[in-house]
Amino acid sequence: MSQTPDIRRLPGTAFLALLLLAAGAEAQIASAGRVPATATVTGVVFDSLSRAPLADASVQLVSANNPAGFARTATSDSLGRFTLTEIPDGLYTLGFFHPLLDSLGVIAPLREVFIGGQRPMQADLAVPSPARLRVAICGKPTSADSGAVVTGVIRN
């Protein structure tokens, strides 16, 4: 039968060590219970040209103040949906990459997102519309414009 020693009769250094161990364990338990404030960003990537969700887009969220300091990446599913988790409060830039954008020769517009108070955020993204693509390629329309655009590659 084992007996628990009376801590009042321990030598001074042993008693102090026991107290420090107990305090350290209590601090670890308290800090393990504290989870930093984070939020979730969800959304849908939409293909404005085919008027359908865009699957397999690489969605990226980076800190607006320090892009090398924080980043999250997700891939959109077959319905264009994405989820980015564990986002601390702050200002971010949100965008996406996809082979469709490469074939069009455009970069998707970036979106500024503010995360605050652990609130979930809905932020949808889209391939630019045909009208925006036309303006990006041809400039602002004039009254003499035909309203059409032809794109392609010339090879030798």
Side-chain angles (χ1 to χ4, degrees):
M1 175 183 211
S2 96
Q3 292 182 344
T4 306
D6 185 359
I7 61 170
R8 292 174 292 183
R9 293 192 178 158
L10 292 174
T13 56
F15 181 71
L16 181 60
L18 185 62
L19 280 176
L20 290 173
L21 282 173
E26 186 176 316
Q28 285 180 344
I29 291 169
S31 68
R34 284 188 215 124
V35 177
T38 63
T40 300
V41 176
T42 59
V44 174
V45 183
F46 192 74
D47 179 358
S48 301
L49 301 175
S50 65
R51 297 183 182 175
L54 188 62
D56 298 321
S58 180
V59 179
Q60 195 170 61
L61 179 88
V62 297
S63 171
N65 301 323
N66 181 9
F70 182 87
R72 287 281 187 271
T73 303
T75 302
S76 63
D77 65 13
S78 62
L79 299 176
R81 298 175 300 198
F82 67 89
T83 301
L84 299 159
T85 59
E86 299 178 12
I87 313 298
D89 289 353
L91 184 62
Y92 296 92
T93 302
L94 180 68
F96 71 98
F97 302 97
H98 193 273
L100 175 64
L101 297 172
D102 294 338
S103 67
L104 294 170
V106 297
I107 298 171
L110 299 176
R111 181 171 178 183
E112 199 169 80
V113 176
F114 179 75
I115 304 295
Q118 304 177 26
R119 289 183 303 251
M121 167 74 66
Q122 172 79 26
D124 296 331
L125 300 167
V127 172
S129 69
R132 283 193 176 201
L133 287 174
R134 182 181 176 280
V135 169
I137 295 168
C138 302
K140 292 186 178 185
T142 66
S143 59
D145 287 342
S146 65
V149 62
V150 177
T151 62
V153 178
I154 299 174
R155 297 189 182 172
N156 185 358

